[in-house]
Amino acid sequence: MRKITKHQIRVSFLGYFLSLTLISSCVSGQLGKNNGGEYKNGMVVSAHPEASAVGIEILKKGGNAVDAAVAVQFALSVVYPNAGNLGGGGFMVYRSAKGEINALDFREKASSSARRDMYLDSVGNPIVDKSLYGQLAVGVPGSVDGMVEAHKKYGKLNWNQVVQPAIDLAQNGFKITKRQASELNGLHRDFMKFNPNGTAFINLESTWKENDLLVQNELANTLKLIQEKGRAGFYEGAVADSIVAEMQNGKGLITKIDLQNYHSAWRKPITGTYRGYKIITMPPTSSGGIALIQLLQSVEPYPLKKWGHNADSTVQLIVEAERRVYADRATHLGDPDFYAVPKNELLKHSYNKNRMSTFNWNSATPSSSVLAGNVSGKEHEETTHFSIVDKEGNAVSITTTLNGSYGSLVVVKGGGFLLNNEMDDFSVKPGSPNMYGLVGGEANAIAPNKRMLSSMTPSIVEKDGNLFMVVGTPGGSTIITSVFQTIINVIDFEMQMQSAVSAKKFHHQWLPDEVYVEKDALDSLTTEKLKAKGYKIMSRGSIGRVDAILRTKWGTYQGGADPRGDDNAIGY
Ligand code: DON
């Protein structure tokens, strides 16, 4: 089995799962950066206050939700470099005010010269860290093409206007938060190692402190080229040359042809229902949408509300549902352009009901006895669906990533942006866990030009034909359960948006057969009852960093900004 090194743990925990020190300051029920107000005209909730402010300004200028989303994506590449990106990828789920829906897959792809065994040694074992750090870990970036496509299809303001705020932030600098100062200091040596010629993230004079100004001139120049030339400003010319040159510094595979050939894909969203609400979510290459609907179908027959939030029966049921759904994920899900994902079967009520029939209230089902479900009827990818949108009440849910915090840690020399380490999301060897402990097989094996499976689950919920919730989160394998628990916190446990986001969460992913629990998520009696039934309860740091918006029955918007980070909700 592949070992998770201390280094990996540090990188994954630093950016997203936060250290225990930070967690202890994040007490139960604490509000995120959200004034608790309700707003009529619009709202932006993101991981960084500067990015939320950019989004709101675009809305106030008359931009629509897609204009704001594009501006926020570019702004996050400047002010939130551990995940906001030009060199990564992501997904967008979109719903227009009239109820039309769409999904954009701008996930990275493996290079055309990638090979199934590229991270294995001569006897077929994974080489630790090879898919995680440096140039070889990088997938062909999708974010810039995704933003160009989204804007081309739905944008209302001109391209110049939506890229400009990010240029300003990179050129003039922005004040880093306390959390960012500590992350950058913690990664100083790694940045030096992977960027011997320097990067804006390295402070050679002293250590970073809260409110220090981070100026990124090279990044500003890249953004200007994108502003001037659109997709050609990134996938061709000087920036493409710098990416390819950067590959040569560390045996990376991406070529100019790979960059030219990258295109994001519009896909038909996955939809399902839960207690009368309609869920609109991301199809493969995300595993998240299918898994989310499977989880909701698995728990729907049970009275969660009567049992209560994080009560022993609630936790047990959800853990057993997750065990089965994550087992399916490992076997059946992968890039739909390469693998016939049996999505119709997995989304049948009868299938999920049957999966839950082996669950027994008296004792935990060992994961070793749960295999992926037997699904027949392999399907072909459906036709991509396109919609025309109106400007009022449009909703966008985007999750975007470099994978690990600060991705591969490689900053493109001259380009000033970080490259992803998304290749680790492939199953590098059947049964061998990735950075998030997830295993996979044939469906998610590496192949040239293939997209690696993701857990990102940007979602939108509708009630009675109206927009109800926009929700999503980072968190690797915990993304699916965080989105799921946020939705049931609102629908079953009748929480307001901020409380649903702040509420403590727990997670099970089939393998390893352990229940991960945030501090104070379960009381001691609940924990004892679950242990007595054979559940292995493990406490861990933060689960998820949900940023969500709820539309109230009066038509106003409530924000939920996760207090686990610097997240921020702004409405107007
Ligand atoms: O696509 C995925 O599933 C992962 N690359 C997401 C990574 C992530 O959420 C990082 N946060 N912990």
Side-chain angles (χ1 to χ4, degrees):
M1 200 160 109
R2 196 165 158 215
K3 276 206 206 106
I4 305 284
T5 61
K6 253 185 3 210
H7 193 68
Q8 279 170 246
I9 289 169
R10 187 159 54 81
V11 170
S12 59
F13 273 63
L14 244 177
Y16 301 98
F17 303 149
L18 313 177
S19 70
L20 280 172
T21 334
L22 291 170
I23 289 155
S24 61
S25 66
C26 174
V27 292
S28 175
Q30 181 186 330
L31 285 184
K33 311 289 176 338
N34 171 10
N35 65 13
E38 291 188 5
Y39 299 89
K40 264 205 97 59
N41 296 313
M43 181 167 258
V44 179
V45 190
S46 85
H48 199 283
E50 296 274 11
S52 297
V54 162
I56 279 290
E57 280 313 306
I58 292 286
L59 290 181
K60 286 183 178 170
K61 279 187 187 149
N64 63 23
V66 173
D67 291 317
V70 173
V72 169
Q73 168 83 26
F74 284 129
L76 284 170
S77 77
V78 180
V79 299
Y80 192 60
N82 56 340
N85 65 81
L86 302 181
F91 301 133
M92 172 173 98
V93 172
Y94 173 77
R95 179 186 181 278
S96 81
K98 291 183 176 162
E100 293 154 0
I101 59 175
N102 208 347
L104 180 63
D105 180 344
F106 52 98
R107 180 73 161 164
E108 301 92 324
K109 285 183 172 187
S111 156
S112 53
S113 44
R115 295 289 172 262
R116 169 186 288 255
D117 59 357
M118 63 187 275
Y119 300 116
L120 304 183
D121 64 17
S122 56
V123 290
N125 291 323
I127 304 167
V128 172
D129 287 355
K130 215 174 172 187
S131 59
L132 277 172
Y133 301 110
Q135 290 78 352
L136 196 60
V138 183
V140 183
S143 291
V144 175
D145 185 77
M147 293 307 101
V148 170
E149 280 299 314
H151 183 262
K152 202 159 62 182
K153 183 177 270 300
Y154 297 121
K156 204 176 117 200
L157 298 185
N158 65 44
W159 180 246
N160 212 41
Q161 281 175 288
V162 296
V163 186
Q164 188 61 43
I167 296 175
D168 294 340
L169 285 164
Q171 207 164 250
N172 305 333
F174 72 98
K175 288 182 180 170
I176 60 172
T177 66
K178 189 173 171 190
R179 193 185 309 266
Q180 287 179 312
S182 116
E183 281 174 12
L184 291 175
N185 290 332
L187 287 171
H188 179 85
R189 226 182 286 159
D190 294 308
F191 280 132
M192 297 282 281
K193 176 174 164 198
F194 289 101
N195 305 281
N197 297 311
T199 138
F201 304 130
I202 296 173
N203 186 342
L204 286 173
E205 280 148 34
S206 77
T207 53
W208 290 105
K209 290 178 295 305
E210 182 180 8
N211 291 329
D212 278 353
L213 202 65
L214 178 59
V215 175
Q216 300 171 77
N217 286 319
E218 289 185 345
L219 180 57
N221 288 336
T222 299
L223 285 161
K224 282 182 197 163
L225 285 169
I226 293 169
Q227 185 184 47
E228 201 182 307
K229 300 182 174 167
R231 95 158 244 125
F234 186 85
Y235 294 92
E236 293 170 31
V239 175
D241 289 346
S242 332
I243 295 173
V244 173
E246 190 58 64
M247 289 297 115
Q248 280 150 14
N249 289 337
K251 299 198 179 126
L253 300 181
I254 297 172
T255 62
K256 281 199 187 170
I257 305 283
D258 288 335
L259 292 166
Q260 271 164 26
N261 286 347
Y262 181 88
H263 288 285
S264 43
W266 289 102
R267 302 198 189 275
K268 183 179 174 188
I270 295 282
T271 58
T273 57
Y274 180 66
R275 302 200 197 284
Y277 293 78
K278 180 175 174 187
I279 316 293
I280 303 151
T281 185
M282 193 67 206
T285 315
S286 171
S287 62
I290 289 180
L292 173 65
I293 305 287
Q294 285 190 275
L295 286 175
L296 291 167
Q297 285 185 6
S298 303
V299 306
E300 195 171 19
Y302 299 88
L304 297 185
K305 183 176 170 186
K306 186 173 131 208
W307 294 339
H309 177 251
N310 288 5
D312 57 325
S313 302
T314 306
V315 177
Q316 188 178 0
L317 179 75
I318 291 172
V319 164
E320 292 300 342
E322 288 178 350
R323 187 194 308 284
R324 288 157 177 80
V325 168
Y326 277 84
D328 279 343
R329 180 198 191 278
T331 298
H332 295 306
L333 295 180
D335 180 346
D337 296 340
F338 282 73
Y339 186 84
V341 176
K343 66 171 183 283
N344 291 344
E345 281 290 309
L346 293 169
L347 293 174
K348 273 187 187 152
H349 278 90
S350 54
Y351 171 77
N352 290 304
K353 192 169 166 210
N354 190 37
R355 291 284 280 160
M356 289 301 280
S357 66
T358 56
F359 148 55
N360 166 3
W361 281 111
N362 297 324
S363 61
T365 313
S367 283
S368 55
S369 72
V370 176
L371 298 177
N374 217 344
V375 293
S376 57
K378 300 265 176 181
E379 299 150 42
H380 296 289
E381 179 58 14
E382 292 172 48
T383 312
T384 306
H385 176 83
F386 296 92
S387 303
I388 308 297
V389 294
D390 189 10
K391 63 174 185 177
E392 296 296 320
N394 301 318
V396 171
S397 189
I398 285 187
T399 311
T400 181
T401 189
L402 288 165
N403 193 22
S405 194
Y406 299 90
S408 60
L409 299 169
V410 175
V411 180
V412 172
K413 186 169 172 303
F417 56 92
L418 279 149
L419 289 170
N420 66 82
N421 59 344
E422 219 74 62
M423 290 298 285
D424 190 62
D425 273 349
F426 277 116
S427 172
V428 303
K429 184 186 178 186
S432 190
N434 76 354
M435 176 182 185
Y436 302 103
L438 292 166
V439 291
E442 188 55 37
N444 191 31
I446 304 173
N449 303 314
K450 187 177 175 182
R451 289 184 161 96
M452 54 298 282
L453 186 62
S454 172
S455 300
M456 294 186 288
T457 315
S459 301
I460 293 176
V461 183
E462 243 181 46
K463 186 186 185 190
D464 303 328
N466 294 315
L467 178 67
F468 182 66
M469 196 192 305
V470 187
V471 58
T473 183
S477 55
T478 69
I479 289 174
I480 302 164
T481 189
S482 299
V483 170
F484 165 72
Q485 287 177 51
T486 305
I487 291 174
I488 63 168
N489 284 347
V490 172
I491 294 179
D492 290 272
F493 305 118
E494 299 175 353
M495 293 184 196
Q496 303 239 317
M497 194 71 263
Q498 185 60 58
S499 310
V501 167
S502 302
K504 298 295 179 177
K505 300 187 172 65
F506 57 91
H507 171 68
H508 190 285
Q509 58 181 47
W510 179 48
L511 296 175
D513 192 350
E514 292 165 349
V515 185
Y516 299 101
V517 176
E518 280 189 300
K519 190 168 180 280
D520 299 329
L522 307 183
D523 62 33
S524 53
L525 186 61
T526 303
T527 305
E528 287 317 310
K529 280 186 187 167
L530 290 166
K531 279 186 178 167
K533 290 181 177 181
Y535 292 94
K536 195 167 170 200
I537 310 284
M538 312 284 288
S539 68
R540 61 160 273 178
S542 293
I543 295 182
R545 244 176 101 164
V546 178
D547 285 335
I549 298 172
L550 188 71
R551 186 173 177 274
T552 66
K553 56 181 156 205
W554 302 279
T556 55
Y557 299 111
Q558 279 181 4
D562 206 313
R564 295 164 180 85
D566 296 322
D567 304 46
N568 179 266
I570 310 181
Y572 85 108

